Amino acid sequence: GPLIVHRLDMSTSGIMLIAKSLEIHKKLQSQFIKRTIKKRYVAVLDGLVSKEEGTVDLPIRTDWNERPKQLVCYESGKSAQTNWKVIERKNQQTRIHFFPITGRTHQLRVHAAHRLGLNFPIVGDDLYGKKRERLCLHAEWIEFQHPISREVMNVEVEAGF
C-alpha cells in the first residue's frame, strides 16, 4: 500500500510525498536524510516582521508537561534551522516563505512564535498563538529527484489563504 515519506503537522495543508512501494519509499527517504529535497512553505504571521529575510536557528524538544507542544531548549533540544523571507505585509500581518533546513516537529510554528525567532505566531496556531478557523501554514512547493527516471521534479500547490 501507500507509504508516507514525510509528515506534515495535522493542521498544515499542502504537498506530501507518498510512495507506492517500499523500494521507492527508501529512495525518497534517502533524499530527505541527505537533505537534497527542497521545500517551501507559505505562512501568515500575526504581526509585522521588520526584517526582509533571515535564518532562525533554535534547538527544539518536546515539552513533556504540555504535549504535543515543543519548546526551545539549548541543553537537550535537537538542532533546528529555518530560512525565511517576507513576501508581503498588510493588515498587521506578514506573509512569509519558510525554507526548512531540518524537519523537526512543529519547527516552523515554534520558530515563528518564539521571542528569539520571528516573535509572531502563525495565524490560527492553537498551540503557540490564537486559535482561528484554520492554521495559515501550507506546504506550497517541493523539489526532489524522481526515484526511477532521476528527473528533477518540481511540484507546487497554491495556498488557500
Side-chain angles (χ1 to χ4, degrees):
L3 301 163
I4 296 171
V5 179
H6 67 105
R7 299 176 301 123
L8 293 177
D9 289 347
M10 206 162 168
S11 302
T12 302
S13 60
I15 301 167
M16 285 186 63
L17 289 183
I18 299 175
K20 290 184 174 181
S21 72
L22 190 55
E23 176 189 356
I24 299 303
H25 182 267
K26 286 179 183 177
K27 288 180 179 182
L28 290 170
Q29 273 295 154
S30 174
Q31 290 181 56
F32 270 100
I33 291 165
K34 293 175 186 170
R35 295 186 182 158
T36 58
I37 290 183
K38 298 175 187 168
K39 297 186 289 180
R40 181 181 72 222
Y41 291 74
V42 63
V44 178
L45 304 189
D46 201 5
L48 295 173
V49 175
S50 60
K51 294 181 181 178
E52 294 303 315
E53 61 186 294
T55 300
V56 177
D57 187 356
L58 297 171
I60 298 172
R61 71 164 174 84
T62 300
D63 182 342
W64 297 110
N65 296 320
E66 288 191 65
R67 291 187 76 183
K69 286 179 89 171
Q70 306 292 305
L71 54 78
V72 172
C73 178
Y74 288 96
E75 289 84 42
S76 59
K78 292 182 179 178
S79 175
Q81 297 92 28
T82 305
N83 292 327
W84 58 272
K85 184 175 183 171
V86 169
I87 305 166
E88 174 184 44
R89 294 177 188 87
K90 73 177 187 185
N91 301 326
Q92 297 300 306
Q93 295 178 333
T94 305
R95 183 174 285 266
I96 196 164
H97 276 151
F98 284 123
F99 305 92
I101 298 166
T102 53
R104 306 290 176 217
T105 301
H106 296 180
Q107 176 177 317
L108 302 179
R109 296 166 73 175
V110 171
H111 282 177
H114 195 275
R115 64 180 177 78
L116 297 175
L118 293 169
N119 201 30
F120 295 110
I122 297 171
V123 169
D125 191 336
D126 61 341
L127 292 175
Y128 308 99
K130 295 177 188 168
K131 184 175 175 69
R132 298 229 180 113
E133 186 178 312
R134 67 159 293 160
L135 176 67
C136 290
L137 177 61
H138 178 78
E140 177 178 64
W141 172 82
I142 192 164
E143 180 182 279
F144 62 98
Q145 186 179 60
H146 191 281
I148 297 171
S149 71
R150 314 291 283 166
E151 179 184 354
V152 174
M153 306 295 295
N154 284 280
V155 181
E156 187 169 0
V157 175
E158 193 173 315
F161 53 83

